Amino acid sequence: MAAARQAAKSKRKGRSVPRGTDTGVRRRRRWSGAGADDRDPQPLGRLASRIAVDRGWQDQLAGGQVFARWAALVGAELAQHAKPVALKDGELTVAAESTAWATQLRLLQRELLVKIARGVGPDVVRKLKIQGPSTPSWRYGPRHVPGRGPRDTYG
């Protein structure tokens, strides 16, 4: 008990003015006033973008914009025949519905990169990988037999 009393006395010695006494100096509260302040309610979009910047999500969000705004970025007709599949390390994989459209996309590759960069920002997509339609493979699967394969299947 004596130790507790001694500790209480030492705490009181550190205070120059006892509680509840008027020192004559009044601290003024800081109100936000009529101007905008960080303490004011913020729009949700601004808060979300601030969180994205703080956590380093800008690249992923910009990549998501490529998928979300694909038709607006490349045009309605092209978007009808080609869809983005994956975006990894600045390389956008695009699947075309036919080999003719895949060839057309390869010819328009530079223009598409410029349009995408203008729409979502530079260095989000640096390279396009264009794939045509894929056929089923008979070489892989759970029932694949090593060797040249069955000969009686096709006559």
Side-chain angles (χ1 to χ4, degrees):
M1 186 70 135
R5 286 182 185 151
Q6 185 64 28
K9 284 182 182 178
S10 67
K11 284 185 182 178
R12 274 190 239 137
K13 287 181 183 177
R15 293 178 53 122
S16 59
V17 179
R19 263 191 208 161
T21 58
D22 190 13
T23 59
V25 178
R26 300 224 181 226
R27 285 193 298 164
R28 188 172 176 201
R29 273 194 181 168
R30 292 188 44 187
W31 301 99
S32 65
D37 192 5
D38 287 339
R39 296 176 291 174
D40 290 340
Q42 302 290 319
L44 185 61
R46 187 179 305 155
L47 291 175
S49 64
R50 187 179 300 163
I51 289 171
V53 168
D54 290 344
R55 297 189 182 188
W57 294 343
Q58 296 110 332
D59 295 337
Q60 291 90 352
L61 290 174
Q65 287 293 319
V66 173
F67 290 92
R69 299 177 44 209
W70 178 250
L73 292 173
V74 298
E77 183 181 4
L78 218 104
Q80 237 176 354
H81 301 286
K83 305 274 184 251
V85 177
L87 177 62
K88 186 174 181 181
D89 298 329
E91 182 179 55
L92 179 66
T93 305
V94 179
E97 73 176 18
S98 69
T99 53
W101 275 105
T103 304
Q104 185 68 21
L105 286 172
R106 285 185 191 105
L107 293 172
L108 295 172
Q109 189 169 3
R110 288 183 188 231
E111 294 172 27
L112 290 176
L113 286 172
V114 169
K115 285 181 180 180
I116 293 170
R118 196 178 310 134
V120 296
D123 294 333
V124 175
V125 177
R126 294 184 300 273
K127 185 178 177 185
L128 286 179
K129 181 179 178 183
I130 298 164
Q131 298 174 339
S134 61
T135 58
S137 173
W138 301 104
R139 286 292 291 168
Y140 304 104
R143 294 183 181 89
H144 173 68
V145 177
R148 293 185 65 189
R151 294 287 169 242
D152 63 346
T153 306
Y154 296 107

